[in-house]
Amino acid sequence: MATMTSGATGPRRVPSLIAAALRSEYLVLFLCALLFAGLAPFTPGLASTDNFLNLLGNLAPLLVVALGQTLVLIVGGIDLSVTSTIALTSVVGALVMNRDTGWLAGSPLAAPVAVVAMLGLGGLIGAGNGLAVTKLHMPPFMVTLTAMMFLSGFAIWLTQSKNVGNLPAAFTVLGSRPALALPIAASSAGLVHLLLERSLFGRWLRAVGFNARTAHVSGVPVDAVIIAAYIASGLLAAAASVLYTGRLETGSPVLGQRILLDVIGATVIGGTSLFGGKGRVLWTLFGVLFLTLLDNALNLLGLSHFTIMMVKGGVILLAALLDTARTRWLAA
Amino acid sequence: MNPTRQRLLLPLLNHATLVLFAAVLVGFGLLSPKFFTAANLANLLVQASSTAVVGVGMTFVLLTAGVDLSVGSVMFVAAAVAGKLTLAGAPLPVALLAIVAVGLVVGALNALLVVRLGVLAFIATLGTLYIGRGFGLWLTQTRAMNLPDSFLALGTAKVAGLPLPPVLAAVVVALAHVTLTRTPFGRQLYAVGASREGAKKAGLNVGRLLVAVYVLSGFCAALGGILSLAQLGAVSPTFGTNREFTAIAAAVLGGTSLFGGRGGVFPGTVLGAILIQSVENGLVILNADPYLYPLVTAAIIFLAVLLDSTRSRLQAHWGRRRIFDEPAE
Amino acid sequence: MSPLLQFESVGKSFLGVEVLKAVSFDVGPGRVVGLVGENGAGKSTLMNLLGGNLRPDAGSMRFQGASYAPRHPRDARLAGIGFVHQELNLFPDLDLAENLFLADFPTRGPLIRRWELHGRAAALLQRVGLGLPPTTPVGRLSTGERQLLEIARALSFDAQLIILDEPTTSLSVPERERLFALVRQLRAEGRSLIYISHTLGEVLALADDVVVLRDGTVVGQGTAREFDPVRLVSLMVGRELKQLFPKPQSNGQADGTPWLEVRGLGQPGVVQDISFTLRRGEVLGISGLMGSGRTELARILFGLDPHATGTVTLAGKPLTGPPKERIRHGLALLTESRRDDGLCLEASVADNVALVTLGRHARSPLRLLSIAGLREALAKVRAAVRLQPRLTDQQPVQTLSGGNQQKVVLAKWLLAEPRVLLLDEPTRGIDVGAKAEIYQLIHELADRGAGVLVISSELEELTGLCDRLLVLNRGRITGEFSRDAFDSSAILRAALPT
């Protein structure tokens, strides 16, 4: 919601090229290109093949989580519990399959069972969130906030705050090989895109996000749609956890703790509305690309993690400002 | 639902936090004789002061249907600045003033973003949360800083025989309560929260009200930072993390709506803050696994929010669509 | 005598579209000016200029002899112009006194002077005839009482000009009378009012002067005596309107098959012992005051609200469960408020129209939609509801006029080919031209064998449209009239509380 403190001003002349860029769906992609072009000369290695692969490796899991967030935001909710879901599923998966004390230590089934357990747990967490939001009529912000506190606490308690390492290679290969991680992320994105743009579920999702009461009167199974969105978010967070855990080769109870800003930031930078109804996979992809690129470049520049934190915070503010500016200029 | 059950259930739900509070107190009291000692209760109040003060600022923001996620970072930056200053030899009052200044500056920044530039409160303060935390880490170079004893002395100082932190918190709460219930500013905040457009049409200067709210929240966060410092005596790199969530939880536990226009600081937020603190305090007394604290706190907050939403729903359900009174029987 | 308010060649455009073109007229002191025009004629824009929500691109306004250029709603208030908005602008959680003096509480130092606040509030409430304690929360007031409160608010700063925007749409008859009396009293005090309404009879009865807007231009102005409803309508639409209501069909297609049967329906405090039968091809009206249980009845029938006793059957099959079950049995509900539960305002015309029947175009395994099928269905139904061709399928419905929005809601339900339609206030807030088209559509539906239940506050609409009429009063059916026995005063008697 844009606060127009001074009332609407007369239509301003916006140069047509800028206006076209601002209006475009690809605005964030243009910004990515600008960022890359602007930083590449000063940033050693930004344009190298190695870094390119590294960039994609960073992008894949973040994209997967952000896809789930996109679905939940479209339906008019928010899921703050995704990072804790990543941590908890990581820990649980590792406890199932690690080669020392794991439940299935040494079994050839360890890795597949662990992955299924992780996804199942993610889906279950999502279902819990969805049920609390729909059947108990609790605000999504508070539900997923308490879920975040609880699940993260649970992951830490479960492991007494220790990492669980020594995972089977059959598992770690999933996250550490871009050749595997990328197709997983890409197919998730493709599937979510198909659901959103072409399926009954996608239309229902948007309708509920725009106006749940209208949707209910029109015969849309509102509760089921909302629950499905949260389940999808939990599942995708768990899938991202598989990638992250594999990449790290260890189950960590604080895995993903730092990426909540990235997840929500990337989704919103892409253009998905926090008020529901509006959002697309392509937008989220651009948002994720933008943040990943920024993170990567700042790292290559040798900046400390707190500087990166400040810059990212600033960039998110700038993106939000840009979004308001475009709404004001173009809609006034 | 028959009328008798309504009559019984509604008051119970209306005072959900109070009921939960009583249950928690009785529970811990039964589990440990140490819980209900005067020393522990006083300690509890001292510990809850900081959350209460930050929660008061948060309540103002929530009343306008906004949110301030940056309070934890404000606490951290303020503490880091104060630490730097005192370690460089500045006297305590200068350090305290610096803390307050940091709160006001970040609050003003939030206000600028949300009110003048029209960024969503959630996103704007999420941005300042990260900028603030990054800035604080840079100031401290991610190392813990031990502060001179003058800070700890603040925490144990007494005013008329009472410990300073709860007294300070009480003053803040009292001022906030009077502001919300007895001043034009306070009443207008409720209107802004209920409908921003409506408030504007009613002739209110909505922008100015919102600016005041974010600046107040920054101020309260800084004040809460002082109170925390006075207890801990040190600034760690995680100082203030997740305090935005405790503050929101305290306000929501106290009956303040996340959607604006409903709630208050007294008894609401104060009760919420004490409830959260007593859970932690009780668990410490019981020697529970420290890793369990967040689990129990989260469960309690969840329960309180559940009770609150059930109450609003039942109230709405019973209140509406009753177009004539049934004949008395 | 010099006019109180003058519009001098005021113009305003949005995105290059001129919505006001050189509008000029005066409001004299102590006059009631009726402002009429179809939706989209520019009335709201004009009032937004006056209220300081928008600024004119051309021309100027003068108020009390001085140039008037408000930049903010506050400026309008300071100048002495008060608004009673169609969507009432009150805060239900605050009390009456706080709502009245929200922007200028009497204070001492930083604190509110409560006794003075309550004293002044009580005096104002007295003046508008609201005998309630100033500490009553506004949430407890009826719509009519809220309207009076808004007027009291305008009086709180001694407004010389008060704008009433569609004040009677949701008022009961006694509330309406009370409002009219108050308007006359304010005029007698020397204040001026601008009265905006679609109910032309009211405008002519109440106003001293009339201004007619069409397409952003003043197409007629003069004293009320110079106008009659027929002339007003033809000025508003720019053509002679042949006949608002279609010729009565005398139930040509009604074959008497019971379609919707309601037996002994009751819910404590809402409706009691409701029984009626809606037949194939019949248009059945439900009349009653605000709060008589009309909307509540429709919501119960559609499964949105619970009921304690009674049964509902459609074509012999019992109706139970949530709306989606009832839709499957052939029931449709056009709700009272398009904004709240009729449309997804930000979504496109296409998405809104398709919402109910999406499932028919979905194919497993992923329930993917057939885009071609959707497009075909949309094209067919657009023609059926006569949605203007210039409106694109992808246009968000919030950019449509009220009439077109209502057509979108109807189109959505037509695609479901319902056997029974429940229409709650189908023409609320829409202009005369669109009204006639919607009436025509209702008749076409009935001719094709649907049963239509129409709920409306406008008796004229019901008597023009329906074959039969039920009157609801405090949740009970207190009268039934067939078309040949329609008698406005008898219907009104049945509707009024005894």
Side-chain angles (χ1 to χ4, degrees):
Chain A
M1 187 182 353
T3 330
M4 306 273 283
T5 42
S6 52
T9 46
R12 236 177 284 176
R13 302 291 306 170
V14 182
S16 59
L17 190 67
I18 299 177
L22 277 176
R23 206 173 274 141
S24 163
E25 274 202 291
Y26 297 92
L27 174 65
V28 181
L29 189 62
F30 298 151
L31 291 181
C32 291
L34 275 179
L35 187 71
F36 187 81
L39 287 177
F42 315 98
T43 319
L46 184 66
S48 72
T49 323
D50 273 359
N51 186 51
F52 191 62
L53 284 176
N54 181 31
L55 195 77
L56 287 177
N58 290 342
L59 182 133
L62 185 61
L63 174 63
V64 175
V65 202
L67 289 172
Q69 193 69 240
T70 308
L71 293 175
V72 174
L73 288 180
I74 288 178
V75 86
I78 190 164
D79 190 352
L80 301 175
S81 72
V82 284
T83 51
S84 303
T85 306
I86 290 175
L88 184 60
T89 50
S90 165
V91 163
V92 167
L95 287 177
V96 168
M97 66 185 153
N98 82 77
R99 283 177 292 195
D100 310 319
T101 54
W103 181 51
L104 289 175
S107 160
L109 283 177
V113 171
V115 169
V116 170
M118 290 169 82
L119 293 177
L121 181 60
L124 214 59
I125 292 170
N129 284 332
L131 285 170
V133 169
T134 53
K135 302 299 176 191
L136 302 178
H137 302 262
M138 295 167 70
F141 185 86
M142 288 311 290
V143 168
T144 57
L145 177 64
T146 47
M148 170 177 98
M149 293 167 75
F150 189 88
L151 299 172
S152 143
F154 190 58
I156 292 173
W157 174 77
L158 209 58
T159 56
Q160 293 294 305
S161 200
K162 287 188 211 37
N163 286 344
V164 183
N166 202 7
L167 305 182
F171 177 82
T172 51
V173 72
L174 281 177
S176 44
R177 287 258 179 84
L180 283 172
L182 277 180
I184 292 176
S187 51
S188 312
L191 183 66
V192 174
H193 175 79
L194 198 64
L195 282 176
L196 260 183
E197 304 298 329
R198 291 291 306 271
S199 82
L200 182 65
F201 174 67
R203 296 289 184 96
W204 277 353
L205 206 64
R206 284 185 211 284
V208 172
F210 277 130
N211 189 335
R213 290 179 60 189
T214 298
H216 180 58
V217 170
S218 305
V220 176
V222 174
D223 285 0
V225 169
I226 294 176
I227 294 171
Y230 281 96
I231 291 180
S233 175
L235 271 175
L236 287 162
S241 178
V242 170
L243 300 182
Y244 277 123
T245 309
R247 210 162 168 222
L248 205 64
E249 302 189 358
T250 173
S252 158
V254 293
L255 186 67
Q257 227 173 37
R258 289 217 181 121
I259 65 160
L260 185 60
L261 171 81
D262 296 27
V263 174
I264 293 178
T267 318
V268 175
I269 287 176
T272 298
S273 161
L274 283 167
F275 298 107
K278 288 179 199 141
R280 305 187 71 174
V281 168
L282 204 60
W283 298 355
T284 297
L285 174 65
F286 296 156
V288 170
L289 181 63
F290 185 78
L291 267 192
T292 315
L293 189 62
L294 184 73
D295 200 61
N296 178 266
L298 296 177
N299 266 310
L300 287 175
L301 283 169
L303 298 178
S304 57
H305 91 267
F306 44 80
T307 317
I308 295 178
M309 217 170 178
M310 285 163 67
V311 173
K312 267 203 227 166
V315 163
I316 286 177
L317 288 181
L318 279 180
L321 279 176
L322 194 67
D323 187 48
T324 342
R326 95 164 135 177
T327 329
R328 270 193 208 180
W329 278 355
L330 300 176
Chain B
M1 185 77 57
N2 67 48
T4 347
R5 269 179 65 196
Q6 277 185 30
R7 259 196 298 275
L8 287 175
L9 201 55
L10 203 56
L12 201 69
L13 286 171
N14 261 331
H15 302 286
T17 305
L18 214 54
V19 173
L20 205 61
F21 191 45
V24 166
L25 290 188
V26 170
F28 283 124
L30 288 176
L31 286 171
S32 165
K34 274 188 282 180
F35 188 75
F36 269 122
T37 57
N40 186 51
L41 291 181
N43 190 19
L44 178 63
L45 287 182
V46 171
Q47 289 167 345
S49 314
S50 168
T51 306
V53 169
V54 182
V56 162
M58 186 65 79
T59 307
F60 275 78
V61 180
L62 292 179
L63 279 176
T64 63
V67 71
D68 185 355
L69 298 179
S70 71
V71 290
S73 289
V74 170
M75 292 173 73
F76 180 50
V77 174
V81 168
K84 278 274 178 198
L85 283 173
T86 38
L87 291 179
L92 184 65
V94 173
L96 294 183
L97 276 179
I99 291 180
V100 170
V102 168
L104 294 176
V105 167
V106 180
L109 180 63
N110 284 333
L112 173 78
L113 288 165
V114 174
V115 183
R116 303 299 312 180
L117 301 175
V119 180
L120 274 177
F122 179 83
I123 295 295
T125 57
L126 192 66
T128 47
L129 179 161
Y130 277 79
I131 296 176
R133 176 104 352 227
F135 183 67
L137 288 172
W138 172 72
L139 273 181
T140 60
Q141 291 299 308
T142 64
R143 278 191 293 272
M145 233 190 311
N146 281 312
L147 299 184
D149 291 342
S150 51
F151 273 99
L152 277 175
L154 271 182
T156 49
K158 305 253 176 178
V159 183
L162 297 164
L164 177 66
V167 171
L168 191 65
V171 171
V172 170
V173 168
L175 283 176
H177 182 67
V178 170
T179 305
L180 284 181
T181 54
R182 297 283 148 131
T183 67
F185 169 68
R187 303 318 290 164
Q188 288 167 351
L189 286 188
Y190 285 86
V192 172
S195 159
R196 192 180 290 201
E197 273 311 302
K200 202 190 287 177
K201 279 187 187 164
L204 300 185
N205 192 336
V206 174
R208 211 164 53 195
L209 290 167
L210 289 176
V211 168
V213 158
Y214 284 94
V215 173
L216 261 178
S217 174
F219 174 76
C220 286
L223 222 52
I226 297 180
L227 292 177
S228 279
L229 267 189
Q231 279 170 63
L232 300 171
V235 187
S236 74
T238 56
F239 184 87
T241 36
N242 290 341
R243 288 302 292 274
E244 57 278 2
F245 295 137
T246 357
I248 294 174
V252 173
L253 276 173
T256 296
S257 161
L258 285 170
F259 308 106
R262 241 193 53 212
V265 294
F266 186 81
T269 306
V270 178
L271 207 60
I274 299 180
L275 174 58
I276 293 173
Q277 203 57 55
S278 40
V279 173
E280 198 149 310
N281 176 291
L283 289 171
V284 172
I285 285 189
L286 291 177
N287 273 326
D289 181 348
Y291 289 132
L292 279 178
Y293 297 178
L295 293 184
V296 178
T297 312
I300 298 259
I301 296 175
F302 185 86
L303 201 59
V305 177
L306 172 61
L307 287 173
D308 183 54
S309 52
T310 310
R311 179 190 60 94
S312 330
R313 191 157 50 94
L314 288 182
Q315 228 166 18
H317 185 69
W318 290 331
R320 103 200 140 133
R321 306 218 172 279
R322 192 151 273 276
I323 54 181
F324 56 86
D325 296 319
E326 285 164 88
E329 283 156 39
Chain C
M1 208 187 289
S2 69
L4 181 70
L5 171 75
Q6 292 170 281
F7 289 100
E8 291 165 348
S9 321
V10 169
K12 177 77 189 172
S13 310
F14 292 111
L15 298 171
V17 179
E18 253 188 313
V19 290
L20 288 178
K21 297 167 215 159
V23 169
S24 302
F25 68 90
D26 297 348
V27 177
R31 304 288 280 184
V32 175
V33 175
L35 182 61
V36 297
E38 289 196 284
N39 282 335
K43 292 172 304 193
S44 319
T45 309
L46 195 63
M47 290 306 111
N48 275 326
L49 295 177
L50 191 59
N53 297 312
L54 296 173
R55 263 163 267 169
D57 301 336
S60 60
M61 295 178 277
R62 297 181 72 76
F63 187 69
Q64 294 184 317
S67 170
Y68 170 70
R71 300 176 59 85
H72 191 278
R74 275 198 309 278
D75 297 339
R77 188 189 165 87
L78 289 173
I81 301 179
F83 283 83
V84 178
H85 297 279
Q86 184 177 6
E87 277 155 23
L88 293 174
N89 191 31
L90 294 165
F91 304 95
D93 288 330
L94 299 180
D95 67 27
L96 296 182
E98 289 172 338
N99 267 285
L100 283 174
F101 291 98
L102 193 62
D104 50 357
F105 281 105
T107 53
R108 179 172 45 216
L111 298 183
I112 297 170
R113 294 164 73 104
R114 289 170 74 89
W115 56 269
E116 186 186 335
L117 172 69
H118 291 155
R120 282 169 61 186
L124 278 172
L125 294 174
Q126 206 65 49
R127 270 178 78 188
V128 298
L130 257 183
L132 293 166
T135 49
T136 317
V138 165
R140 293 215 199 119
L141 268 55
S142 73
T143 316
E145 288 170 331
R146 290 180 196 212
Q147 210 114 41
L148 296 176
L149 182 65
E150 281 246 32
I151 296 175
R153 179 147 83 182
L155 295 178
S156 76
F157 55 89
D158 197 27
Q160 289 305 304
L161 175 66
I162 298 174
I163 287 84
L164 295 168
D165 190 358
E166 289 282 354
T168 59
T169 6
S170 44
L171 294 196
S172 66
V173 175
E175 284 174 335
R176 212 173 282 206
E177 290 304 324
R178 207 155 135 200
L179 179 73
F180 292 168
L182 183 60
V183 167
R184 296 197 175 98
Q185 176 198 326
L186 294 173
R187 175 176 56 188
E189 289 170 11
R191 298 176 207 278
S192 304
L193 294 100
I194 295 179
Y195 191 93
I196 302 173
S197 178
H198 283 302
T199 317
L200 302 179
E202 273 174 16
V203 174
L204 292 175
L206 211 54
D208 304 305
D209 306 305
V210 173
V211 174
V212 188
L213 277 183
R214 184 176 75 226
D215 298 333
T217 341
V218 175
V219 290
Q221 57 179 318
T223 60
R225 233 166 292 140
E226 300 165 33
F227 294 93
D228 60 57
V230 176
R231 178 156 174 238
L232 274 184
V233 169
S234 64
L235 279 172
M236 280 163 64
V237 296
R239 60 193 143 91
E240 288 292 328
L241 204 69
K242 297 161 291 189
Q243 172 90 36
L244 193 52
F245 297 102
K247 291 244 159 55
Q249 305 282 323
S250 67
N251 305 337
Q253 297 298 309
D255 58 9
T257 319
W259 234 200
L260 183 74
E261 290 177 278
V262 180
R263 293 289 170 266
L265 200 67
Q267 168 74 3
V270 182
V271 290
Q272 272 176 298
D273 197 25
I274 302 281
S275 297
F276 65 88
T277 303
L278 171 64
R279 293 173 191 286
R280 250 195 98 155
E282 184 182 33
V283 182
L284 174 63
I286 293 198
S287 181
L289 307 179
M290 270 290 286
S292 60
R294 304 173 312 197
T295 295
E296 290 75 5
L297 174 61
R299 288 179 57 92
I300 290 174
L301 291 177
F302 202 63
L304 288 166
D305 284 342
H307 63 98
T309 59
T311 57
V312 183
T313 57
L314 203 166
K317 300 219 176 57
L319 282 181
T320 50
K324 61 177 169 160
E325 303 293 331
R326 302 186 189 219
I327 292 170
R328 198 169 305 149
H329 281 97
L331 195 64
L333 169 68
L334 180 138
T335 56
E336 188 183 17
S337 164
R338 294 186 288 275
R339 176 186 297 266
D340 291 340
D341 46 18
L343 291 166
C344 297
L345 285 175
E346 294 153 285
S348 66
V349 171
D351 286 352
N352 271 286
V353 169
L355 191 54
V356 175
T357 42
L358 272 175
R360 295 183 189 175
H361 303 279
R363 285 170 312 214
S364 297
L366 278 176
R367 307 284 277 154
L368 294 188
L369 296 166
S370 150
I371 301 298
L374 282 171
R375 196 173 296 148
E376 192 183 321
L378 176 63
K380 206 173 71 193
V381 80
R382 274 189 72 134
V385 298
R386 301 176 194 90
L387 202 62
Q388 287 160 9
R390 68 178 169 85
L391 304 172
T392 68
D393 293 345
Q394 293 313 319
Q395 200 161 350
V397 289
Q398 62 189 354
T399 60
L400 270 50
S401 69
N404 284 319
Q405 287 185 356
Q406 199 69 309
K407 286 180 187 172
V408 169
V409 183
L410 274 169
K412 170 173 89 171
W413 288 116
L414 290 194
L415 279 182
E417 291 162 353
R419 294 195 270 195
V420 169
L421 287 100
L422 313 172
L423 308 177
D424 193 355
E425 300 284 4
T427 64
R428 169 172 290 182
I430 69 183
D431 55 54
V432 182
K435 262 186 191 177
E437 286 176 337
I438 285 177
Y439 295 148
Q440 182 63 42
L441 204 60
I442 291 174
H443 271 270
E444 286 171 14
L445 282 166
D447 287 346
R448 272 185 270 133
V452 186
L453 187 83
V454 183
I455 295 171
S456 173
S457 312
E458 290 182 42
L459 194 52
E460 189 191 339
E461 174 169 298
L462 291 176
T463 53
L465 196 60
C466 300
D467 303 314
R468 193 157 58 97
L469 226 162
L470 300 175
V471 182
L472 220 56
N473 186 350
R474 286 169 60 87
R476 290 170 178 279
I477 293 179
T478 52
E480 181 178 348
F481 301 84
S482 57
R483 180 159 195 102
D484 44 18
F486 281 170
D487 171 0
S488 298
S489 56
I491 294 170
L492 213 56
R493 268 199 303 281
L496 288 173
T498 41

